[in-house]
Amino acid sequence: MGKMTTKHKQKIGDKMDRALYVGRFQPYHLGHHEVIKKIAKEVDELIVGIGSAQKSHTVSDPFTGGERVMMVSRSLVELDITYYVIPMADVDRHAIWVSHIQSLTPPFNVVYSNNPLVIGLFSETKIETRRSPLFKRSIYSGTEIRRRMINDEKWEDLVPKAVAEVINEIDGVNRIKNLSSNDTLF
Ligand code: NAP
């Protein structure tokens, strides 16, 4: 959990806005970070859900849920907001996904997403949904960052410094390169 902020202390006793933002974060990049900076100005507390947490070791989902928890948690330290980073494995029935999410997280009253399925599922509940378009989408893209890693191109300037450190610590570039060469065998 992140630090207890002054804003949080002032709000105790008042109605709090606690928001959920879900993504796969393969990896967490500066586009996601800009979205979260904006959300942090609008709400009191933030829950970041690491979607598809059970997935790892494929070219499109190279990093484990735990590695992505590290990427997001370390990046959010610089923001003035109380936050919770929670891995969320997928479930095979969309109809129960919202209850599944609620069973894993602190209570929340607003969801930020740009994913039509996520917006649709939450719209069927009483929870408010808000759009969260990504910033500079053409370069801040998980697909583009993974492509650059595979092709030995510069990727570090597209992610927060803390994320580059995690990826280097886990030797993530070599992992994705190996995965991509294996993919051609199957
Ligand atoms: P995602 O699968 O992570 O992202 C889908 C695409 O949308 C990616 O290209 C992503 O780009 C892009 N994207 C992410 N945030 C965006 C934004 N704010 N604006 C524009 N594009 C954006 O999907 P997600 O919506 O971020 O995460 C949803 C998670 O919930 C997934 O893990 C999904 O599996 C899970 N989910 C599960 C169920 C179930 O289990 N039944 C149901 C619904 C959703 P980047 O690659 O650059 O991030």
Side-chain angles (χ1 to χ4, degrees):
M1 187 186 128
K3 57 187 176 259
M4 180 81 87
T5 63
T6 312
K7 186 167 66 171
H8 174 94
K9 286 175 195 154
Q10 284 166 349
K11 275 272 179 178
I12 288 174
D14 298 344
K15 185 187 170 299
M16 301 234 311
D17 278 324
R18 188 177 297 111
L20 171 69
Y21 178 58
V22 188
R24 275 173 36 249
F25 306 123
Q26 292 282 12
Y28 183 77
H29 56 63
L30 287 171
H32 304 126
H33 203 52
E34 284 302 317
V35 169
I36 284 189
K37 280 185 188 167
K38 184 170 167 283
I39 297 173
K41 289 186 188 142
E42 295 177 0
V43 301
D44 303 292
E45 294 193 359
L46 174 65
I47 304 160
V48 183
I50 308 291
S52 307
Q54 82 284 6
K55 291 191 182 169
S56 72
H57 293 83
T58 67
V59 172
S60 52
D61 288 283
F63 306 116
T64 68
E67 288 161 351
R68 289 176 278 151
V69 166
M70 279 164 71
M71 292 177 199
V72 175
S73 310
R74 292 192 193 173
S75 301
L76 297 195
V77 166
E78 68 178 34
L79 303 189
D80 179 25
I81 190 160
T82 297
Y83 59 89
Y84 312 83
V85 183
I86 301 192
M88 301 170 165
D90 293 329
V91 290
D92 61 6
R93 281 188 290 159
H94 289 326
I96 61 165
W97 185 66
V98 168
S99 326
H100 168 66
I101 296 307
Q102 288 173 315
S103 77
L104 297 172
T105 63
F108 55 90
N109 61 321
V110 52
V111 175
Y112 285 83
S113 179
N114 225 34
N115 178 326
L117 175 62
V118 172
I119 296 267
L121 292 174
F122 277 104
S123 300
E124 294 177 20
T125 72
K126 289 207 166 77
I127 297 166
E128 182 190 345
T129 55
R130 295 182 192 163
R131 296 271 165 185
S132 59
L134 276 179
F135 171 78
K136 288 197 190 165
R137 183 64 186 137
S138 55
I139 56 160
Y140 294 135
S141 145
T143 306
E144 170 64 11
I145 293 166
R146 297 190 302 273
R147 188 197 66 73
R148 290 190 186 193
M149 288 174 168
I150 291 165
N151 292 301
D152 275 329
E153 292 173 30
K154 197 164 165 45
W155 55 273
E156 290 90 338
D157 53 347
L158 302 184
V159 300
K161 192 164 170 281
V163 171
E165 285 168 4
V166 171
I167 290 171
N168 289 332
E169 182 186 329
I170 64 175
D171 203 12
V173 174
N174 277 329
R175 180 189 301 169
I176 193 166
K177 281 185 184 171
N178 286 334
L179 291 166
S180 106
S181 57
N182 280 343
D183 266 10
T184 60
L185 299 176
F186 297 104

